[in-house]
Amino acid sequence: MEVVRLRVNGDERACGVPAHYTLLETLRYGLGLTGSKQGCDKGDCGACTVIVDGRAVLSCITPVWEAEGRGVRTVEGLGRGTEPHPVQDEFDLNGAAQCGFCTPGILCSAVAFLERNPSPDRDRIRAALAGNLCRCTGYEKIYDAVEAAAARLRDR
Amino acid sequence: MLRLHPFRYHRPGTVGEATELLANFGAEAMPIAGGTDLMPNMKHRLFTPGHLVSLNRIAALRGIHLDAAGARLRIGATETLADIASNPLVQQRLPALATAAGLVAGPQLRNMGTIGGNICLDTRCTYYNQTEFWRAALGYCLKKNGTVCHVTRVGKKCVAAHSADTPPVLIALGATLVLAGALGTREMAANDFFVADGIRNTRRAHGEVLAEIRIPLAGPRRRSAYRKLRQRGSIDFPLLSVAVVCDFDESGAVERIRGVVSALGARPRLLSGWDGIAVGSALDNGVIDALAERAHAQCRPLENAIVDAEWRRAMVPVQVRRALREVAVLPPKGVSAMRPAR
Ligand SMILES: Cc1cc2nc3c(=O)[nH]c(=O)nc-3n(C[C@H](O)[C@H](O)[C@H](O)COP(=O)(O)OP(=O)(O)OC[C@H]3O[C@@H](n4cnc5c(N)ncnc54)[C@H](O)[C@@H]3O)c2cc1C
Ligand code: SF4
Ligand code: FES
Ligand code: FES
C-alpha cells in the first residue's frame, strides 16, 4: 500500500492504495465514490468517465498516480449541494436516463464539453459524446438534454 | 472487472531520468504515456512489466512549435491527440495530420492518448487483443505465449496489424523521429522506424524514449489527405487507412506524390511506383484510377481483423481514389454527399 493524495470534487483526500490501482478503483473502492461506473474496465465504453483538469478522461485506464496534483471531478461533484447541475436536471426532464449505468460518464463528458463549448450544434454534441456507449436510450434524448442544458447555461 | 498485475510506478522529471530508469530496470520496465494502449494490454496480460516509467511529467517532451528556420514543425511526443487535432499550426500547415489525430478512437481517449504512444502502438489482431482467459482457451498464439499463428496457420511470422492513425500521415509527409536513450539521441525517418514483424514492429531499442516528431513543411502547392475505414465512426481502430501527400507545380501538374496504406499488415506500406504514373500529369480521373490500381496490386490484407479480408482488399482502391480526389479537389465520382469514413 502507498498513500495517494487526490483533490476530488474540491476536497483534498488521502487514500492508501496498491501501486497498481487505477483512478477508478481508488474512487470506488478507496474513497467510496461509486458514482463512476466500472463497465468494460478497458477503455471501450465511457461508463467510468471523470473530469481531470477540465477534460473528460477514462478513469478505468488512468493509473491513480497520474491524477495526483490534479483536479478530479466525478458525477458526485457536478451539482451544488442538493441542487443538480443543469445537465443533470435536463437529463431528468428529457428522460435521457433509463437503466442509468452510462449516465454518470455521459454527464461528465457533457459537462466538460459544455464548459469549453457553450454554443454547440447537435453534430458537435454527438461527436463530444462519441466515447460513451448507451444501450438503452438510443441517444436522441441524451442529445436533447445536452442541447437544453447548453441553452440554460448560456442564459445563466 | 479487469485487474492489473502489481507494478511500481515511476514519475521522472527529465528525459535523462526516464532513460536511466529504463536502462536500470531493463526488460522489467516499460514507458507509459497516455496509457490508452498499454493499460488495456496489461489488463489482458499481454504485458506485465514490474516497473512503469511515466513520461507525463517531463516538460521537454511537450510543445508544438516551428523550428528556428520555420522549415519544420516539431511536436513533443507526449502532446495529446486532442491538442494536436485542434492546434491551429497543425490545422493550417499539416491538415492531414490534424485529420488523422482527430479520427483516433473517441474524445476521452484523444484527451489522454499521445502522439508518441500512437507511433509506438502495439500491433493488433483478433487473436491477440483478448483477455488472458480467452487466449488461454485457444492455446495462445505466436505473438504471446504460443507457438502457432491462427491467421496464417503455417507461418512462423506474426502478421498482426499496425493500427495507429498518425504514422501513415507522418510517413507520407517525410517526418523524422527523435529517439533518446541512455547512450544518446538519434534521428530516424518515420518510414525506417517500422519493420514488418507483428511481434515487435519498431526499431525503438528497449530503453529508448521517443522524444520528438519533426515534420518538414512545404508551400501552398502541397495538398494532403487522410482516410480511415472503420466499423463504428465513433471509436474504432482503422480496418484500412490511406494517407496521400501531393506537391503540384505552378501549372497544376504533379511534381511529387506519396501514398501510404496501413492497418493491413505489421507496418504501414509506402506505395511504390506512384511517381512514375503521376509526375508531370494533372491529377485527373485517369491518373487517379491508375494510382488506385497500383495501390490495389500492392496490398493483400490477411484475416487479422474481424472483417473479411477480401472486402478490406476491395476497399483499398476505393479509399485511395477518395483520398486522391480530396487532394485533387475533384468532385467525388459515383459518390453523392461523400463524408469521410469516420
Ligand atoms: C477503445 C479504443 C479505441 C482506440 N482506437 C484507436 C484508433 O482508432 N486509432 C489509433 O491509432 N489508436 C486507437 N487506440 C489506441 C490509443 O488510444 C492511441 O493509439 C493512443 O495514441 C496511444 O497513445 P498513449 O499515449 O495512450 O500510449 P500508451 O498506452 O501510453 O503507450 C503505448 C505504447 O507505446 C509506448 N510508448 C508510449 N509513449 C512512448 C514514448 N514517448 N517513447 C517510447 N515508447 C512509448 C508504451 O510503452 C506502450 O508500449 C484506441 C484505444 C482504445 C482503448
Ligand atoms: S497474426 Fe498470428 S501470431 Fe500475430 S497476433 Fe495474430 S494470431 Fe497471433
Ligand atoms: S469502464 Fe472505463 S471505458 Fe468502460
Ligand atoms: S441508460 Fe442504460 S446504458 Fe444508457
Side-chain angles (χ1 to χ4, degrees):
Chain A
M1 290 284 228
E2 288 175 52
V3 175
V4 64
R5 283 166 215 289
L6 296 175
R7 196 163 70 254
V8 184
N9 300 324
D11 297 332
E12 299 291 340
R13 306 283 298 262
C15 181
V17 291
H20 61 273
Y21 251 32
T22 61
L23 176 58
L24 180 64
E25 287 166 329
T26 308
L27 291 170
R28 288 181 63 87
Y29 310 123
L31 299 175
L33 295 170
T34 52
S36 309
K37 297 295 176 249
Q38 201 162 12
C40 65
D41 213 12
K42 58 193 179 91
D44 290 331
C45 75
C48 64
T49 304
V50 300
I51 306 172
V52 175
D53 283 353
R55 295 204 175 206
V57 300
L58 301 175
S59 60
C60 73
I61 52 171
T62 300
V64 66
W65 308 105
E66 294 296 346
E68 239 187 357
R70 298 190 166 152
V72 180
R73 278 160 78 200
T74 67
V75 68
E76 288 91 345
L78 295 182
R80 271 188 238 143
T82 55
E83 178 84 0
H85 188 284
V87 182
Q88 289 171 307
D89 207 27
E90 290 297 336
F91 262 59
D92 180 21
L93 295 172
N94 286 276
Q98 289 185 26
C99 80
F101 197 83
C102 68
T103 309
I106 298 192
L107 290 170
C108 286
S109 282
V111 167
F113 171 67
L114 292 179
E115 284 172 0
R116 283 165 178 264
N117 306 274
S119 310
D121 61 23
R122 202 167 175 97
D123 272 350
R124 297 211 52 208
I125 294 172
R126 204 187 299 269
L129 301 182
N132 293 85
L133 284 184
C134 174
R135 297 293 79 170
C136 303
T137 64
Y139 301 102
E140 292 303 325
K141 287 172 191 288
I142 293 174
Y143 305 143
D144 290 344
V146 176
E147 235 167 31
R152 255 171 77 178
L153 286 162
R154 282 197 303 273
D155 293 344
R156 264 220 302 226
Chain B
M1 197 183 282
L2 291 167
R3 289 186 177 283
L4 290 164
H5 67 284
F7 53 72
R8 287 202 49 206
Y9 205 81
H10 304 268
R11 289 173 288 173
T14 65
V15 176
E17 283 167 35
T19 53
E20 198 181 308
L21 282 162
L22 290 168
N24 286 349
F25 292 117
E28 265 295 282
M30 283 178 83
I32 182 167
T36 61
D37 180 46
L38 187 53
M39 292 286 280
N41 283 354
M42 290 193 304
K43 289 190 167 194
H44 287 166
R45 297 296 183 271
L46 297 167
F47 298 95
T48 50
H51 297 267
L52 286 180
V53 178
S54 165
L55 306 178
N56 297 312
R57 313 233 160 183
I58 305 178
L61 295 180
R62 281 195 294 275
I64 303 178
H65 50 85
L66 292 171
D67 70 3
R72 292 191 297 184
L73 192 72
R74 299 169 56 164
I75 302 181
T78 58
E79 283 294 328
T80 64
L81 297 163
D83 283 342
I84 291 167
S86 63
N87 181 281
L89 258 177
V90 179
Q91 288 178 343
Q92 281 157 27
R93 305 296 304 268
L94 302 165
L97 181 61
T99 304
L103 287 175
V104 172
Q108 301 98 316
L109 290 157
R110 290 193 295 275
N111 284 340
M112 306 168 70
T114 66
I115 190 166
N118 196 239
I119 294 168
C120 297
L121 191 77
D122 193 16
T123 53
R124 298 183 63 83
C125 170
T126 323
Y127 301 98
Y128 174 72
N129 297 98
Q130 304 288 354
T131 58
E132 161 76 20
F133 177 77
W134 193 105
R135 289 181 298 113
L138 195 68
Y140 301 104
C141 80
L142 206 58
K143 183 160 158 70
K144 182 72 185 172
N145 295 355
T147 51
V148 285
C149 170
H150 305 295
V151 173
T152 63
R153 300 233 164 76
V154 286
K156 276 288 162 215
K157 207 170 148 196
C158 169
V159 292
H162 176 272
S163 305
D165 283 299
T166 64
V169 177
L170 295 173
I171 291 172
L173 288 167
T176 57
L177 308 177
V178 179
L179 294 157
L183 300 176
T185 63
R186 55 183 181 142
E187 189 169 342
M188 182 187 299
N191 189 41
D192 296 334
F193 183 67
F194 298 100
V195 292
D197 173 1
I199 293 178
R200 191 168 159 79
N201 78 332
T202 76
R203 287 193 208 278
R204 184 177 72 82
H206 189 83
E208 272 181 326
V209 167
L210 172 57
E212 189 176 275
I213 299 95
R214 297 180 177 163
I215 310 157
L217 298 172
R221 289 200 305 272
R222 164 166 292 182
R223 289 185 51 87
S224 60
Y226 179 71
R227 306 230 14 136
K228 167 175 183 175
L229 183 68
R230 55 176 164 174
Q231 282 191 307
R232 293 169 299 179
S234 52
I235 190 161
D236 283 325
F237 281 94
L239 297 166
L240 163 67
S241 60
V242 177
V244 171
V245 174
C246 185
D247 295 317
F248 294 94
D249 67 16
E250 288 112 352
S251 73
V254 174
E255 203 168 70
R256 185 166 175 277
I257 186 163
R258 311 233 293 176
V260 177
V261 173
S262 193
L264 303 178
R267 60 153 294 158
R269 178 180 287 273
L270 177 60
L271 297 167
S272 67
W274 268 26
D275 273 339
I277 294 170
V279 168
S281 316
L283 200 51
D284 57 22
N285 282 326
V287 170
I288 287 176
D289 285 343
L291 292 170
E293 200 30 62
R294 182 83 209 197
H296 188 217
Q298 290 173 58
C299 297
R300 294 181 189 281
L302 297 162
E303 300 286 350
N304 52 9
I306 47 177
V307 299
D308 184 51
E310 271 312 303
W311 177 72
R312 268 204 293 168
R313 175 146 200 251
M315 288 302 109
V316 170
V318 174
Q319 294 294 337
V320 168
R321 271 198 298 271
R322 289 181 187 175
L324 287 166
R325 288 211 178 90
E326 261 180 57
V327 163
V329 226
L330 285 174
K333 190 169 76 174
V335 191
S336 57
M338 189 185 66
R339 285 173 52 196
R342 281 173 181 268

